Amino acid sequence: MGHFSISDLEQLSGIKAHTIRIWEQRYGILRPVRTATNIRTYCDDDLRRLLNVATLCGRGYRISKVAQLSEQEMEKAVMACNDDANNYCQQVHALMAAMLAMDEVQLNYLLNCSIRRMGFEQAVLNVVYPFLQRIGVMWQAGSVNPAHEHLVTHLLRQKLMAATDALPAVNAASVRRWVLFLPEGEMHELALLFMNFALRARGHHVLYLGQNLPIDGLLEVCQAYQPHSVCTVLTAGPDRDELQGFVNELRQVCGSATVLLYGPAAQAEGVQLPPHMIRLQLMTDFLAFADQMQEAMAEPA
């Protein structure tokens, strides 16, 4: 069971703490317990209920009416109003509630609905990424079970691979060539899998080398494949004191290719980037770069 403060609930639901207190006192929406020092704490069930209440109130329901609904009635009402492709916050709330309930069937249904209405790439950018950011907040607060994260990660990985597999093949000789990899010790693969999908959807050719690749294994690949670009995601490492050495070695190994670095570890200050190496802060920056390369390929020689 998670243990949340009222500020955690505010951050995760978007509902002001003052409003949460009023709903709790006037309508009994939540039932916190108090610590030995008389501080309110909330559990997974409280957060899940608050997310459902926020979803319904966001669709015009009166809080006095919502408070009268049973758990089953509330969940049914949430599902009935989960049909607005542009209401991203509502879709994120629904996913979080399903995750906290460990309801894999509901998670799969909600993700499929978002993908069907918005298209795969837009669903990832507007719903999945904010959803993962909320999970990250919960992880930092120590209020999420690792099993929750594993459930979501496995399901998203499955969908990313299926969507990528459904794309048509391209001829590597006539398009922009990419190598995607995660360095040794790096296992956080979702961002790289999405990059793989986005590039292939734009008609690029990709050698996807996946997780935990020693950098010396990249040299032979680059010599044989001659990529135009190489991209990696740095989430857990390298360590700060090893990052400059990693960047310099990666530049040497990749030959003339443009090298892109993405991820939190790549944003470390003080690291000097060699020529033809780009640091990306946002996934939309990566997509913009891919679009530019696609336009450049389309231009007549």
Side-chain angles (χ1 to χ4, degrees):
M1 296 292 285
H3 296 283
F4 305 93
S5 67
I6 196 165
S7 61
D8 292 332
L9 295 188
E10 180 179 39
Q11 188 170 16
L12 292 167
S13 69
I15 304 298
K16 296 293 185 183
H18 175 70
T19 301
I20 294 173
R21 288 192 184 96
I22 292 175
W23 287 359
E24 176 188 321
Q25 294 166 4
R26 188 173 299 174
Y27 301 105
I29 291 293
L30 306 178
R31 299 175 182 85
V33 298
R34 291 185 180 271
T35 66
T37 54
N38 204 35
I39 297 174
R40 288 187 185 91
T41 62
Y42 302 83
C43 67
D44 291 343
D45 289 340
D46 291 318
L47 175 57
R48 185 166 63 248
R49 183 171 177 83
L50 179 62
L51 292 169
N52 286 334
V53 170
T55 296
L56 294 176
C57 289
R59 291 299 299 268
Y61 283 69
R62 296 175 63 87
I63 182 61
S64 58
K65 297 297 184 183
V66 174
Q68 297 173 8
L69 299 176
S70 68
E71 293 294 331
Q72 293 76 16
E73 290 171 336
M74 190 178 298
E75 291 176 6
K76 185 176 180 180
V78 167
M79 289 306 303
C81 69
N82 192 43
D83 57 358
D84 186 350
N86 297 315
N87 194 328
Y88 308 136
C89 186
Q90 174 187 303
Q91 295 175 65
V92 172
H93 283 172
L95 285 168
M96 289 180 64
M99 177 196 72
L100 290 168
M102 295 295 285
D103 190 339
E104 190 269 346
V105 173
Q106 180 78 331
L107 274 170
N108 193 53
Y109 171 77
L110 291 168
L111 286 168
N112 286 343
C113 286
S114 295
I115 292 167
R116 185 173 62 252
R117 290 192 297 259
M118 303 165 61
F120 192 84
E121 184 170 310
Q122 290 304 308
V124 170
L125 291 175
N126 294 306
V127 177
V128 171
Y129 259 86
F131 176 43
L132 293 174
Q133 288 167 355
R134 299 284 184 92
I135 295 175
V137 169
M138 295 171 71
W139 181 266
Q140 290 175 359
S143 55
V144 65
N145 186 324
H148 292 129
E149 183 190 25
H150 288 195
L151 171 65
V152 170
T153 299
H154 173 74
L155 187 57
L156 290 175
R157 188 176 187 276
Q158 192 176 50
K159 291 194 176 300
L160 284 161
M161 295 181 74
T164 302
D165 191 53
L167 295 172
V170 296
N171 184 351
S174 59
V175 297
R176 185 131 187 134
R177 297 184 299 278
W178 290 74
V179 168
L180 302 184
F181 80 101
L182 296 180
E184 193 167 12
E186 182 62 75
M187 305 301 291
H188 295 80
E189 195 178 14
L190 288 183
L192 198 74
L193 284 169
F194 178 59
M195 290 172 168
N196 184 34
F197 168 82
L199 290 172
R200 292 172 185 268
R202 286 162 171 77
H204 299 258
H205 191 275
V206 182
L207 278 188
Y208 188 86
L209 305 181
Q211 306 165 316
N212 196 30
L213 180 75
I215 196 168
D216 56 4
L218 197 60
L219 177 60
E220 185 176 348
V221 173
C222 289
Q223 290 174 341
Y225 181 61
Q226 293 293 302
H228 298 93
S229 302
V230 175
C231 183
T232 190
V233 180
L234 309 179
T235 302
D239 293 338
R240 178 65 182 81
D241 58 352
E242 298 176 352
L243 185 56
Q244 185 67 64
F246 170 82
V247 166
N248 294 341
E249 185 178 4
L250 182 59
R251 176 63 279 169
Q252 294 176 352
V253 165
C254 293
S256 61
T258 300
V259 179
L260 289 82
L261 304 176
Y262 177 77
Q267 311 308 318
E269 296 182 1
V271 176
Q272 300 297 315
L273 296 186
H276 308 295
M277 184 171 271
I278 301 170
R279 180 165 28 205
L280 303 171
Q281 290 190 339
L282 302 172
M283 183 59 72
T284 49
D285 297 333
F286 174 82
L287 297 177
F289 183 89
D291 287 335
Q292 290 174 3
M293 297 303 98
Q294 184 183 31
E295 292 171 2
M297 287 191 305
E299 293 176 356

